[in-house]
Amino acid sequence: MHALKTCLRAALVTGVVASAGVCTASLTAHADAAHADAAHAVEPAGNGGTAVDPLAQAAATLPKVGPADVIKLASSQVGISENAYGGGTKFQQWYMSTPRARQTLARDGGKLSAYLNAPWCDMFVSWVGQKLGITPVMGWDSYTVEHARWFSQHGRWGNVPKPGAVVFFAWNGSKSIDDIDHVGFVIKDNGDGTIKTVEGNTGNGAVEVRTRPTDSVAGYGYPYYPAS
């Protein structure tokens, strides 16, 4: 099993997790095999051939979704909250039903039932991508650290708060992907050292719109929006 945050390791092994009110890192993530096959990179041929961006290739086959669509759907979920056990949301229930959950269990160990009360900030992000049909260019998982690595591995990682970007937080101020604790979507850059976001499993364990200082941001993942 990968080195997980303590609360999630307990959740996966025992199926029990305390409600923390914020989403700490969940499982680990890589692109799922089907998405990797669909977005397979074409390497430079060395004889004048052109390299094809695998996410651009995937985006060409997907619905014409843009940042505004993601923000609209994510914001429409504001108010949905977890139960007293830190779970029971439709985002956790959905994730448990996906092949991705079984892939992450095969990778990290634990029990499928543990997802029901596990930290769900990245499950929320993944749910939004799946509902809009853009999972291959947004990625999906429940472990924030590996979801961030997925963006980095695809050359879609940076430090500019663009609307529709997936924002990854490290509460200790670190810029290291390994230190990421939480994730959401950027609504806008407020231009004063803060950003407006929409996040799952935040505040009292709900989907909320928040204002966050940019110094708590480890970095941003940029989905390859088909409508861009």
Side-chain angles (χ1 to χ4, degrees):
M1 177 182 281
H2 297 271
L4 305 184
K5 301 287 184 176
T6 302
C7 70
L8 186 67
R9 177 178 282 127
L12 292 176
V13 174
T14 69
V16 178
V17 63
S19 176
V22 295
C23 180
T24 53
S26 301
L27 299 174
T28 56
H30 298 290
D32 103 298
H35 297 151
D37 289 342
H40 183 67
V42 178
E43 297 294 335
N47 58 358
T50 302
V52 177
D53 183 331
L55 295 191
Q57 193 174 30
T61 70
L62 300 177
K64 297 303 181 184
V65 170
D69 300 304
V70 163
I71 293 169
K72 180 179 180 180
L73 177 58
S75 298
S76 74
Q77 306 303 303
V78 168
I80 293 176
S81 62
E82 64 191 32
N83 59 28
Y85 300 100
T89 69
K90 67 180 182 181
F91 313 113
Q92 291 154 307
Q93 293 166 353
W94 162 78
Y95 190 80
M96 289 173 65
S97 74
T98 67
R100 188 66 183 148
R102 287 157 180 80
Q103 292 166 0
T104 52
L105 284 178
R107 192 178 57 228
D108 303 313
K111 299 185 295 184
L112 184 65
S113 60
Y115 286 111
L116 188 59
N117 295 321
W120 51 276
C121 59
D122 210 0
M123 297 186 210
F124 169 68
V125 168
S126 300
W127 179 89
V128 170
Q130 189 271 341
K131 285 295 182 181
L132 291 173
I134 60 170
T135 295
V137 294
M138 182 178 283
W140 61 336
D141 212 289
S142 60
Y143 183 29
T144 53
V145 169
E146 289 296 338
H147 201 162
R149 284 188 183 138
W150 183 87
F151 281 109
S152 180
Q153 290 162 1
H154 284 83
R156 306 293 295 181
W157 182 254
N159 57 14
V160 178
K162 301 176 183 179
V166 180
V167 53
F168 293 87
F169 299 96
W171 303 134
N172 64 2
S174 172
K175 303 307 176 186
S176 170
I177 285 176
D178 289 335
D179 292 331
I180 288 170
D181 296 300
H182 182 59
V183 67
F185 292 107
V186 176
I187 295 176
K188 69 174 183 176
D189 181 357
N190 294 322
D192 60 358
T194 68
I195 53 175
K196 185 178 181 181
T197 64
V198 56
E199 308 161 18
N201 196 24
T202 189
N204 293 315
V207 180
E208 297 182 357
V209 172
R210 304 296 296 271
T211 297
R212 298 285 196 186
T214 55
D215 60 11
S216 66
V217 174
Y220 302 90
Y222 306 114
Y224 199 112
Y225 284 114
S228 297

